[in-house]
Amino acid sequence: MTKDEVAGEKAMLEALGSYSAGRGRVRYARLVPAPHGGVYDYRYGSTLVTAYRRDGETVAMVGDAWEDTR
């Protein structure tokens, strides 16, 4: 978790770079209190960046590459 979009994307790309294949995404998130004073929880919003890695190459794109648009 970070409040810096660029740092989030960099961390995701570094993590993907350590594998031969994979995928990841950077999303907006906010911390919200749980009902009745319990533990806090995250609520996720839109996807900012998605990336996939295949055969040692990483491709990043704006938005959510896997979002169901039906």
Side-chain angles (χ1 to χ4, degrees):
M1 278 291 176
T2 179
K3 61 183 180 177
D4 183 344
E5 177 183 337
V6 174
E9 182 177 359
K10 182 179 176 186
M12 174 189 65
L13 293 174
E14 286 176 357
L16 282 174
S18 64
Y19 296 97
S20 61
R23 65 184 195 173
R25 67 177 61 165
V26 176
R27 297 172 66 183
Y28 280 117
R30 64 185 172 94
L31 193 60
V32 296
H36 310 295
V39 177
Y40 280 75
D41 195 11
Y42 289 102
R43 296 290 184 257
Y44 293 95
S46 60
T47 300
L48 305 171
V49 178
T50 53
Y52 67 89
R53 184 164 177 81
R54 189 177 313 145
D55 301 324
E57 296 289 325
T58 302
V59 175
M61 60 203 74
V62 174
D64 195 333
W66 311 291
E67 188 173 274
D68 186 8
T69 57
R70 286 184 271 157

